[in-house]
Amino acid sequence: MDREMINITIDTRKIEVPKGITVLEAAKIANIAIPTLCFLKDINEIGACRMCVVEIEGFRGLQAACVFPVSDGMVIWTQTPAVRESRKVTLELILSNHDRKCLSCVRSRNCELQRLAEELNIGDLRFDGETYRLPLDNFSPSIVRDPNKCVLCRRCVSMCKNVQGTAVLDTNERGFKTIVSPAFHKSLNEVPCTMCGQCITVCPVGALREKDDTDKVWEALANKELHVVVQTAPAVRVALGEEFGMPIGSRVTSNMVASLRRLGFRKVFDTDTAADLTIMEEVTELVHRIKEGGKLPLITSCSPGWIKYCEHYYPEFLENLSTCKSPHEMFGALLKSYYAAKMNVDPAKVFVVSIMPCTAKKFEAKRTELAATGYPDVDVVLTTRELARMIREAAINFNELPERHFDDPMGEASGAGVIFGATGGVMEAALRTAAEILGGKPLENIEFHQVRGVEGIKEAEIEVGGLKLKAAVAHGLKNAGQLLEKIKNGEAEYHFIEIMACPGGCVNGGGQPIQPSYVRSWLDLRAERAKAIYEEDRDLPIRKSHENPRVKMLYDEFFGEPGSHKAHELLHTHYAPRENYPETDKN
Amino acid sequence: MSACKCNAHLDDPRAEKLRQIITKYRNTNGALIPVLHEAQELYGHLPIEVQKAISEGLNVPLAEIYGVVTFYTQFSLMPKGKFKIQVCMGTACYVKGANSILDKLKEKLGVDIGDCTEDGLFSLDVCRCIGACGLAPVIMINDEVYGTLTADQIEGIIRKYQERPV
């Protein structure tokens, strides 16, 4: 599409830019940096914080570059004394009542506020304003909210409301007492929060963070009585490197496995193996529902944020959910049954740690129904960020480690298991297997590009063994809601739907490394990390779940066949509606 | 947050009226503020049960409604008294000693700003300029304005309302 071009001048530099873009975007084209704080491209463009002010000739006062559109002949100055002074005073005022505990803050060195203070050369603070200390909300198993570190940028509010459609956070009160919180100052644990953690990934400071469970893991590792094993989700290996200064999209599978060994885990397993198992169970369920006239569309159940969303907001679709547990929960159940028996270890002593790109999985692991063996399937869930913290704490030189591979007996996974990490991946993995099982012959092309990519809702019609299988993929909960509304209103019909709570799927999960606005505003994290996932898939010798020899072995030795009684006992679960704002007696 | 003493349970007769208010505005853009106004007129304040009903009825998230309710001083989460006292803290009233009027009211009524007396007769609030700066300092009790006040007049004014037949 040809856009009309106009000429502008920024700091004496004359450039041609498309009409209608903002001053900030134009400056980016000219390679001129303008500091921002509340701005997050496409998510929060509200011009609230005034960090990005510039002088524009012919306009009175300073203008916010992030929302001010360029026009032909415009002359912009980004570094005048008035601009510098204004930015500095604004920042000093924000800092004046900020809880400046940088030394012990989880976001130290990855904090946009700290970086601004350094860039704008803030020395001694001239204003020591009134402070206003509020209690920490740490009741949720996934997310901690610290209002004293909040800078009121509203990025989390926009994310929760406009991207996830959950809207459990908003700006309350006014003036000095303004606070971002759930309604009636409830805890995130008492409101219909899906625990997706997207609010954390957009928070510029340490006001939102995951519940840190690293202590529990250190303790378990030190306990000689326990047999501590770990599994890692596919999305972790394409993002963990960012925590150690590597470019976005670096694949660090070997370094990750080697680090986990050094941390002292007995075995390092790949959740992807369980993802292959999920595909076997889910495809069996799909075929069964199609053939026996069961509830359709079948909707995937791997994303615990999506599951909680469905329980709160769309309980009428609970029967559509696949009864399959999410892969790491399946793996946990397997480790405490099949593996424990094989290793001759008491299942009570098997301690399962899951490294996940996800905060909702912390909540999921605490679901009492996910304890197939009488013990929780998974004992502790750590996010990618928490794993990075443990690696740093153990002084492991992440970038220089010997090559290491996942452990057997469940170490080998297919490419289908790997692509679970990106939106459309579970669908594609299922299609690879469904098409061959139903079609009875090998696929010529196993890549289903229709379901890949970052478009919010993707649809595909695929010929599978004489059936035109109608599939849809949604990622980001607002998109999920829109898709479900279409189905409710009879505007669309599908056999099979994949839904992931996080935009882009797990690669962009709420537990992934946090990239600041000045990076993620100009580069699509979802696409960059997904690229690495698909490369990993392409490099694997086995790319279909049903061809994974470990999965075949598990069915031969243990489960019998997909959908068997034993498989149901260990690998499947159920869901229940949840009240949105249950009455709590908070006197 | 203290317990709600208003008995605003949605099975009382006001619930049907609230439903009617919501239905009236359901398809109007910007319906939230007028609905909140009418709901507050009906209940005297906006407790969580009422906000939840509005949230479901208008399909507006509760967090957004709560944000609006706590932003505007006109909306109240707490029950108000039969006589709503508003002390103007606008600039003119402030410099003319509104604080001493407020302190006296707190002392005589035994309540803090935003609260309501035990007998439900008086509630005490502060507000910004009510546009009667010439009469500063000013208070309002329901729709009646009292100007050029001094702290020692307060007791008499309160007594007047206490003696009013209910």
Side-chain angles (χ1 to χ4, degrees):
Chain A
M1 196 175 68
D2 277 345
R3 282 182 82 172
E4 195 188 325
M5 300 298 279
I6 55 171
N7 293 297
I8 61 166
T9 311
I10 308 184
D11 296 345
T12 72
R13 209 168 307 171
K14 291 186 187 340
I15 56 163
E16 201 187 44
V17 296
K19 192 180 172 183
I21 68 170
T22 63
V23 170
L24 184 67
E25 287 168 317
K28 178 77 189 164
I29 293 169
N31 208 16
I32 290 170
I34 294 175
T36 59
L37 183 59
C38 70
F39 172 79
L40 190 59
K41 194 163 164 47
D42 300 330
I43 293 170
N44 201 47
E45 302 178 355
I46 58 173
C49 75
R50 318 305 291 178
M51 283 310 306
C52 65
V53 289
V54 293
E55 264 187 70
I56 300 173
E57 287 185 12
F59 288 88
R60 270 183 60 199
L62 303 176
Q63 306 298 331
C66 70
V67 288
F68 205 91
V70 291
S71 57
D72 198 28
M74 189 178 265
V75 181
I76 301 153
W77 298 96
T78 75
Q79 288 289 347
T80 64
V83 163
R84 269 199 301 275
E85 179 61 15
S86 169
R87 288 175 185 164
K88 223 167 166 163
V89 169
T90 300
L91 185 58
E92 281 179 284
L93 287 170
I94 293 170
L95 289 168
S96 72
N97 70 340
H98 182 72
D99 191 13
R100 300 187 297 273
K101 294 199 184 98
C102 298
L103 279 178
S104 55
C105 182
V106 70
R107 292 293 297 275
S108 189
R109 296 186 305 143
N110 183 19
C111 170
E112 292 181 40
L113 189 65
Q114 197 181 41
R115 182 180 149 118
L116 281 174
E118 192 186 339
E119 283 180 348
L120 299 193
N121 194 18
I122 304 289
D124 288 332
L125 285 179
R126 286 178 287 174
F127 324 114
D128 209 0
E130 188 180 338
T131 46
Y132 177 47
R133 290 291 165 251
L134 291 157
L136 202 68
D137 172 11
N138 60 0
F139 300 101
S140 152
S142 301
I143 301 168
V144 177
R145 191 176 59 82
D146 181 352
N148 303 312
K149 286 187 178 155
C150 177
V151 292
L152 303 175
C153 70
R154 292 156 176 82
R155 275 151 56 161
C156 58
V157 174
S158 299
M159 177 51 90
C160 193
K161 194 190 286 188
N162 305 331
V163 181
Q164 295 301 64
T166 38
V168 300
L169 285 172
D170 218 312
T171 319
N172 300 314
E173 311 288 343
R174 68 189 299 169
F176 188 66
K177 287 193 164 174
T178 305
I179 176 174
V180 169
S181 76
F184 290 86
H185 299 279
K186 285 174 175 286
S187 159
L188 282 169
N189 211 27
E190 309 170 303
V191 301
C193 166
T194 66
M195 320 261 170
C196 73
Q198 285 297 313
C199 55
I200 299 175
T201 67
V202 297
C203 183
V205 294
L208 287 158
R209 51 190 191 254
E210 72 271 85
K211 174 71 81 58
D212 189 304
D213 289 314
T214 53
D215 279 352
K216 291 183 194 160
V217 177
W218 286 124
E219 237 170 77
L221 286 168
N223 185 342
K224 297 278 178 283
E225 301 273 291
L226 294 176
H227 184 95
V228 188
V229 296
V230 65
Q231 55 170 323
T232 68
V236 178
R237 69 202 64 177
V238 297
L240 182 62
E242 293 169 32
E243 288 277 346
F244 299 94
M246 294 185 191
I248 294 163
S250 301
R251 289 156 60 190
V252 294
T253 315
S254 168
N255 306 46
M256 175 184 73
V257 173
S259 309
L260 289 165
R261 288 266 163 72
R262 292 223 175 151
L263 287 173
F265 291 99
R266 292 267 185 119
K267 299 276 181 187
V268 182
F269 293 128
D270 190 352
T271 308
D272 300 6
T273 314
D276 283 331
L277 207 57
T278 306
I279 288 300
M280 298 308 290
E281 293 294 321
E282 203 157 85
V283 167
T284 306
E285 193 180 2
L286 176 66
V287 171
H288 182 80
R289 289 199 195 191
I290 290 173
K291 284 192 175 160
E292 309 288 321
K295 189 89 175 168
L296 289 172
L298 177 72
I299 311 180
T300 58
S301 55
C302 304
S303 163
W306 147 242
I307 294 297
K308 194 157 183 278
Y309 178 81
C310 190
E311 288 175 328
H312 279 295
Y313 299 90
Y314 287 95
E316 63 270 36
F317 281 96
L318 289 176
E319 276 184 53
N320 293 78
L321 290 178
S322 162
T323 58
C324 288
K325 289 180 184 175
S326 73
H328 85 118
E329 292 287 340
M330 281 194 181
F331 211 140
L334 204 55
L335 288 167
K336 294 191 179 184
S337 54
Y338 170 81
Y339 169 81
K342 202 159 184 149
M343 300 293 289
N344 203 18
V345 185
D346 176 2
K349 304 280 187 231
V350 178
F351 192 92
V352 179
V353 178
S354 297
I355 311 292
M356 297 284 130
C358 184
T359 47
K361 291 219 182 270
K362 286 177 181 278
F363 171 83
E364 181 191 37
K366 288 196 156 55
R367 283 178 181 253
T368 48
E369 64 270 25
L370 297 178
T373 55
Y375 308 102
D377 293 337
V378 169
D379 293 282
V380 178
V381 171
L382 296 183
T383 60
T384 309
R385 299 187 292 266
E386 285 168 284
L387 172 60
R389 263 176 250 152
M390 283 187 76
I391 294 171
R392 281 193 285 266
E393 203 177 337
I396 294 166
N397 187 353
F398 185 81
N399 299 356
E400 284 169 37
L401 289 166
E403 195 177 328
R404 289 288 178 265
H405 299 278
F406 287 111
D407 279 305
D408 256 342
M410 290 170 283
E412 201 163 338
S414 77
V418 174
I419 59 174
F420 264 57
T423 165
V426 178
M427 175 61 70
E428 181 167 347
L431 290 173
R432 289 180 189 176
T433 291
E436 294 202 353
I437 288 181
L438 289 167
K441 57 173 194 288
L443 282 169
E444 277 173 31
N445 181 8
I446 64 160
E447 294 191 354
F448 292 87
H449 288 268
Q450 313 92 298
V451 295
R452 295 187 182 183
V454 295
E455 203 188 318
I457 298 175
K458 294 166 277 189
E459 291 175 297
E461 215 176 83
I462 290 136
E463 183 84 28
V464 186
L467 171 81
K468 269 202 179 357
L469 186 88
K470 285 184 169 172
V473 173
H475 56 114
L477 289 169
K478 192 173 187 183
N479 293 328
Q482 279 169 2
L483 183 64
L484 296 180
E485 288 296 329
K486 269 170 79 178
I487 297 167
K488 252 167 80 171
N489 302 334
E491 292 160 33
E493 241 183 13
Y494 306 99
H495 296 101
F496 191 31
I497 295 175
E498 178 204 292
I499 296 180
M500 293 292 158
C502 292
C506 308
V507 286
N508 193 36
Q512 290 285 63
I514 294 169
Q515 289 293 346
S517 169
Y518 52 83
V519 172
R520 65 177 282 172
S521 282
W522 316 110
L523 170 150
D524 196 335
L525 283 182
R526 302 169 301 177
E528 293 302 314
R529 291 176 182 157
K531 228 187 276 170
I533 284 269
Y534 289 114
E535 280 167 21
E536 188 102 352
D537 165 40
R538 217 165 296 141
D539 286 352
L540 282 167
I542 296 162
R543 297 178 66 192
K544 299 170 213 160
S545 299
H546 57 284
E547 290 178 356
N548 180 348
R550 302 296 165 210
V551 167
K552 284 185 193 164
M553 176 193 78
L554 280 171
Y555 282 109
D556 289 346
E557 279 186 26
F558 193 60
F559 290 119
E561 56 180 7
S564 70
H565 181 67
K566 194 164 206 169
H568 266 273
E569 252 178 31
L570 287 170
L571 310 179
H572 291 255
T573 184
H574 57 273
Y575 315 96
R578 268 173 209 277
E579 208 187 327
N580 280 355
Y581 286 92
E583 285 195 31
T584 44
D585 208 11
K586 245 181 128 185
N587 290 339
Chain B
M1 198 169 304
S2 61
C4 168
K5 301 181 196 101
C6 66
N7 299 318
H9 293 299
L10 293 176
D11 47 4
D12 77 18
R14 292 174 293 186
E16 180 47 38
K17 280 199 184 138
L18 179 60
R19 272 192 286 275
Q20 286 168 6
I21 295 168
I22 294 167
T23 310
K24 183 169 73 180
Y25 286 101
R26 186 165 279 155
N27 298 314
T28 324
N29 271 338
L32 182 57
I33 302 249
V35 169
L36 288 173
H37 270 297
E38 292 193 24
Q40 178 154 294
E41 228 162 85
L42 184 63
Y43 285 90
H45 68 302
L46 295 165
I48 186 166
E49 293 79 11
V50 173
Q51 290 189 38
K52 268 162 85 168
I54 295 171
S55 167
E56 278 155 33
L58 293 180
N59 199 19
V60 175
L62 184 66
E64 191 173 320
I65 295 178
Y66 183 76
V68 170
V69 169
T70 55
F71 183 84
Y72 293 107
T73 46
Q74 279 214 312
F75 296 126
S76 175
L77 295 170
M78 303 298 286
K80 290 293 158 205
K82 183 171 159 59
F83 303 114
K84 300 173 194 66
I85 305 176
Q86 304 244 25
V87 182
C88 180
M89 295 297 264
T91 312
C93 289
Y94 189 86
V95 296
K96 291 281 239 170
N99 261 324
S100 67
I101 307 288
L102 181 62
D103 288 344
K104 196 66 172 182
L105 279 163
K106 283 186 193 169
E107 179 201 318
K108 286 290 159 204
L109 298 173
V111 295
D112 215 336
I113 300 166
D115 289 345
C116 184
T117 53
E118 286 274 316
D119 58 8
L121 215 49
F122 296 99
S123 54
L124 179 64
D125 284 289
V126 294
C127 62
R128 295 301 158 215
C129 185
I130 59 169
C133 308
L135 300 175
V138 187
I139 67 168
M140 273 181 87
I141 303 185
N142 289 354
D143 294 328
E144 292 166 58
V145 178
Y146 295 84
T148 50
L149 284 173
T150 53
D152 49 23
Q153 289 173 272
I154 294 300
E155 199 170 345
I157 294 171
I158 290 176
R159 197 173 320 117
K160 198 173 94 187
Y161 284 89
Q162 278 166 336
E163 287 164 2
R164 245 185 219 188
V166 177

